[in-house]
Amino acid sequence: MRASHTDRERAIDVLKAGFSEGRLGQDEYEQRLARASQAQTYAELSMLIADLPQGPVPVPAPQPAYPQVPRTFLPTPPPRTNGSAIGALVCGVLTPMYGLTAIPAVILGHKAKAEIRRSGEQGEGLAMAGLVLGWLAIGTILAIIFGVIVASS
């Protein structure tokens, strides 16, 4: 692996410490210093300082005071509410005012129930309420139409 400029500087610092402690002679120090400044890989640097004490090793980053809690112990977020179920309920509630929203309420209610079974989302009650309101509105409209037909004949 290629050595960085910082790695070469660290090796040169080790050589300086070895020279100042008397572990290296002047000629050997200068020779190793020249080779360290031209070194391209970690292997070349480690050969130059292998017989010298390395000094303190860089300290790793401090760990947090409180260790990270594994995800298995964190509370699981509640499943989200199905959007089609919400839409079914809204359309069902708006049916008495607008009338035409009964059909989307029924369609969205059936769609939501299928999605909830498949994905495990919440909103089963909302989908059922939208279905009931939609079918009641459709039944009421059909009963009115049937009553008008029977009364007119």
Side-chain angles (χ1 to χ4, degrees), residues 127-153:
M128 183 58 73
L131 277 171
V132 169
L133 291 172
W135 281 118
L136 281 175
I138 290 172
T140 304
I141 291 170
L142 289 177
I144 292 171
I145 292 172
F146 183 72
V148 168
I149 291 173
V150 169
S152 66
S153 50

Side-chain angles (χ1 to χ4, degrees), residues 84-109 125-138 140-141:
S84 296
I86 296 170
L89 181 62
V90 169
C91 288
V93 169
L94 293 177
T95 298
M97 290 180 266
Y98 297 105
L100 297 177
T101 60
I103 295 170
V106 171
I107 293 171
L108 287 173
L126 300 175
M128 183 58 73
L131 277 171
V132 169
L133 291 172
W135 281 118
L136 281 175
I138 290 172
T140 304
I141 291 170

